[in-house]
Amino acid sequence: METAIEVESLYYPVSRQKMVRGEGIYLYDEDGNAYIDCASATFNLSLGYSHPVVLAAIRAQLDELIHITSSFRSDPVSALAERLLAVAPANMRKVHPKVCSGSSANEGAIKMAQYATGRSEIITLFRSHLGQTMMMTSLSGNAFRKAPFPLVYPGSLHVPDPYCKRCFYEKEPSSCGHLCVDRIEDFLEYASSGRVAAIIVEPISGNGGNIVPPDGYFPKLRAFCDKHEIVLIFDEIQTGIGRTGHIFAAQHFGVEPV
Ligand SMILES: Cc1ncc(COP(=O)(O)O)c(C=O)c1O
């Protein structure tokens, strides 16, 4: 593959190589060369490119109704809501399909947590990547994402990831007792505003380094959230829809968010 170059009409760097078609696991360039796309686009095409069932559904819907205000019921939205509820963790009883990006989904979940608790502050992990909007850039970890922008969401607190290979507390997973959860007590008591509404985590931090938390981390985090009446939000943008072997990674780790 050629290295990225700046193209004048775009804000971001793109490869000189032009892709013209996708089918299954393959992408095809304009010279007809086929490439296996090991990342399924940006990890978002769980069914691969141009799955015939997906294409047929899109084509059929185009002839019926391509947009409708959410004030009315419609079959595709109702069907999606029902299917999502059927596969979601058991405590999830409602869906909110009025979002079109991961960032707005996360912001919606945070608004729900703030509304339910009457509190405002949000805890996230050092290496989290939660989206590109102003609020999500601000809540995400990693200084490099924020450095170019003079933005700060005032109510956010970042805590160490469950990253055993580079443990912030220099412990071993066999004997640490999940110190990275216990220590959130200290952050809560000494570094927060005292008004924490939610902790938002990716069950497996994707862009942060595909960090799989050690066994027992999530049950302990769940118990921590219950104790402090803090909402536990899972950002499953990268882990959801079957990518960890379950529809949602929450099921993989045996915990329910909220
Ligand atoms: C884990 C995670 N959360 C949230 C987002 C934000 O999604 P979007 O770019 O659709 O706003 C992304 C992707 O950028 C992501 O990987």
Side-chain angles (χ1 to χ4, degrees), residues 100-104 106 129-133 202 206-207 235 237-238:
C100 55
S101 75
S103 303
S104 59
N106 283 339
H129 168 54
L130 302 169
Q132 337 282 348
T133 58
E202 298 160 73
N207 290 29
D235 170 348
I237 309 292
Q238 285 203 31

Side-chain angles (χ1 to χ4, degrees), residues 178-213:
H178 305 103
L179 193 60
C180 53
V181 178
D182 289 336
R183 283 285 157 88
I184 303 176
E185 295 270 2
D186 292 325
F187 282 91
L188 212 55
E189 187 165 349
Y190 301 111
S192 82
S193 62
R195 304 188 72 251
V196 173
I199 296 183
I200 178 165
V201 292
E202 298 160 73
I204 296 171
S205 272
N207 290 29
N210 292 313
I211 303 164
V212 181

Side-chain angles (χ1 to χ4, degrees), residues 1-257:
M1 287 244 180
E2 296 197 28
T3 51
I5 54 154
E6 292 291 342
V7 171
E8 245 169 50
S9 57
L10 296 174
Y11 265 117
Y12 48 88
V14 293
S15 165
R16 192 185 293 277
Q17 207 163 16
K18 187 160 80 179
M19 297 301 175
V20 294
R21 196 166 67 83
E23 193 180 327
I25 62 171
Y26 295 102
L27 262 180
Y28 296 88
D29 69 14
E30 55 190 336
D31 299 320
N33 298 310
Y35 302 87
I36 295 176
D37 182 354
C38 299
S40 42
T42 45
F43 315 111
N44 55 338
L45 295 183
S46 302
L47 298 178
Y49 290 93
S50 302
H51 191 289
V53 174
V54 177
L55 292 190
I58 293 172
R59 285 190 189 112
Q61 190 58 41
L62 284 177
D63 288 334
E64 297 292 332
L65 188 63
I66 58 167
H67 177 77
I68 185 168
T69 161
S70 54
S71 303
F72 294 114
R73 286 199 312 146
S74 66
D75 285 342
V77 173
S78 301
L80 174 66
E82 276 167 30
R83 295 292 293 272
L84 282 172
L85 281 179
V87 296
N91 66 336
M92 301 248 156
R93 304 277 25 103
K94 282 182 186 291
V95 298
H96 190 281
K98 278 173 67 172
V99 293
C100 55
S101 75
S103 303
S104 59
N106 283 339
E107 294 201 12
I110 287 170
K111 283 171 77 177
M112 287 181 206
Q114 291 177 330
Y115 184 76
T117 60
R119 295 179 239 126
S120 56
E121 198 164 10
I122 307 300
I123 296 180
T124 66
L125 299 176
F126 279 3
R127 291 173 174 79
S128 59
H129 168 54
L130 302 169
Q132 337 282 348
T133 58
M134 299 289 262
M135 185 188 193
M136 288 304 111
T137 301
S138 191
L139 285 188
S140 294
N142 291 295
F144 75 85
R145 291 187 210 291
K146 293 176 262 201
F149 311 108
L151 61 91
V152 182
Y153 173 73
S156 67
L157 185 61
H158 295 85
V159 300
D161 312 86
Y163 193 5
C164 301
K165 187 157 181 264
R166 295 187 171 83
C167 177
F168 184 80
Y169 299 106
E170 300 186 347
K171 298 286 182 192
E172 290 299 323
S174 54
S175 56
C176 72
H178 305 103
L179 193 60
C180 53
V181 178
D182 289 336
R183 283 285 157 88
I184 303 176
E185 295 270 2
D186 292 325
F187 282 91
L188 212 55
E189 187 165 349
Y190 301 111
S192 82
S193 62
R195 304 188 72 251
V196 173
I199 296 183
I200 178 165
V201 292
E202 298 160 73
I204 296 171
S205 272
N207 290 29
N210 292 313
I211 303 164
V212 181
D215 287 348
Y217 173 82
F218 276 115
K220 193 154 184 182
L221 188 64
R222 175 71 275 173
F224 174 88
C225 290
D226 290 343
K227 176 178 165 195
H228 294 284
E229 297 182 345
I230 291 172
V231 177
L232 178 60
I233 300 172
F234 277 0
D235 170 348
E236 296 241 21
I237 309 292
Q238 285 203 31
T239 53
I241 315 301
R243 295 186 196 97
T244 66
H246 291 274
I247 291 289
F248 293 105
Q251 293 148 321
H252 185 78
F253 291 109
V255 284
E256 291 181 344

